[in-house]
Amino acid sequence: QTQLVESGGGLVQAGGSLTLSCAASGRTFNNYAMGWFRRAPGKERDTVAVINWSGGDTYYADSVKGRFTISRDNAKNTVYLQMNSLKPEDTAVYTCAAHRGLGLDIRTLSPADYSSWGQGTQVTVSS
């Protein structure tokens, strides 16, 4: 099972930017679709962004479209989430997850489809 470690969270003012990283163990990182998820206090976990194994296909939640960018570097076993124009409502614990699969429609994935999860990193956006 792939182990995932997130980094890059922190406290930022509204309108600011942060970049999250998720480093994966193992030698088959490019067999996995990767997703970023977030959970705010008292709320359900939401899908934020997903990227397929090659980086050629991405999906974004409507709430972050145009502000966040997911990318990956398969040579470094790392997936990134660039977050711009942050809003207080973006405050949450952000977690990355991996789903093993090639040639799939990443829009059909639900959180239950992901087999490996990181511990999460806190992002706090002050107003």
Side-chain angles (χ1 to χ4, degrees):
Q1 195 171 24
T2 298
Q3 293 186 325
L4 305 173
V5 179
E6 301 96 339
S7 61
L11 173 64
V12 64
Q13 288 187 331
S17 299
L18 281 175
T19 299
L20 305 183
S21 300
C22 172
S25 65
R27 294 177 290 180
T28 59
F29 179 70
N30 59 359
N31 288 348
Y32 290 83
M34 300 296 297
W36 282 100
F37 303 82
R38 68 186 182 186
R39 177 174 285 172
K43 295 188 177 181
E44 298 289 322
R45 180 169 53 198
D46 291 329
T47 302
V48 175
V50 184
I51 190 166
N52 76 335
W53 68 275
S54 68
D57 191 19
T58 57
Y59 162 83
Y60 297 94
D62 287 343
S63 59
V64 306
K65 203 172 293 183
R67 300 187 297 123
F68 290 11
T69 302
I70 188 171
S71 62
R72 67 190 295 161
D73 185 338
N74 285 346
K76 295 182 179 180
N77 280 17
T78 302
V79 62
Y80 305 95
L81 186 68
Q82 173 69 44
M83 305 184 294
N84 298 326
S85 302
L86 282 162
K87 304 175 181 179
E89 52 263 43
D90 294 318
T91 295
V93 175
Y94 285 71
T95 306
C96 66
H99 170 80
R100 186 179 179 92
L102 304 176
L104 52 84
D105 183 353
I106 57 175
R107 291 155 189 79
T108 66
L109 295 176
S110 69
D113 293 318
Y114 291 79
S115 57
S116 298
W117 291 81
Q119 293 299 308
T121 185
Q122 176 71 44
V123 172
T124 302
V125 184
S126 63
S127 57

